[in-house]
Amino acid sequence: QVQLVESGGGLVQPGGSLRLSCAASGFTFSRFVMSWYRQAPGNQRDVVAAITNTGSSAHYTDSVQGRFTISRDNAKNTLYLQMNSLKPEDTAVYYCKASTPTGPTEYWGQGTQVTVSS
């Protein structure tokens, strides 16, 4: 069955770094656009970054531009999010999502908590 399993979250001090991973299985990873979303308590789930199925192009929300880097390894069926210069406002549950470029199919992971605090 389809699975997206996030890992790498945790507690980090402001200015620190974390690398999130999302291991995919049960579908053809290389055909799907992959995205990272986050949701803070009381807020809606918002997109953080997205990457095309080949990895040739990536897009970021303004608040993380220059600090976060999304990447993927299609040979390993894994999506990554390198997060640098973390701020308290980056605290949220981070989710990965797989979606087809032109269709309604999408899959979500269960999320991983990132807490930025001193």
Side-chain angles (χ1 to χ4, degrees):
Q1 74 277 22
V2 171
Q3 279 194 312
L4 290 172
V5 180
E6 299 97 335
S7 61
L11 173 64
V12 63
Q13 292 187 341
S17 298
L18 282 175
R19 188 195 196 200
L20 305 184
S21 298
C22 172
S25 61
F27 64 100
T28 307
F29 181 74
S30 61
R31 294 182 180 176
F32 281 69
V33 173
M34 297 298 298
S35 306
W36 286 100
Y37 281 70
R38 65 185 179 187
Q39 186 170 21
N43 290 359
Q44 65 182 19
R45 191 175 296 186
D46 291 323
V47 63
V48 174
I51 189 167
T52 55
N53 63 318
T54 62
S56 61
S57 180
H59 302 276
Y60 301 89
T61 192
D62 287 347
S63 61
V64 308
Q65 182 75 45
R67 299 188 298 122
F68 291 10
T69 302
I70 188 172
S71 61
R72 64 190 296 162
D73 186 335
N74 284 350
K76 296 182 178 179
N77 291 348
T78 303
L79 175 73
Y80 304 99
L81 185 68
Q82 178 67 43
M83 305 186 295
N84 299 328
S85 302
L86 283 161
K87 304 175 181 180
E89 52 263 43
D90 295 318
T91 295
V93 178
Y94 283 71
Y95 300 87
C96 63
K97 186 184 84 168
S99 54
T100 50
T102 58
T105 303
E106 61 181 42
Y107 309 121
W108 288 90
Q110 84 290 346
T112 185
Q113 176 71 47
V114 171
T115 302
V116 184
S117 175
S118 55

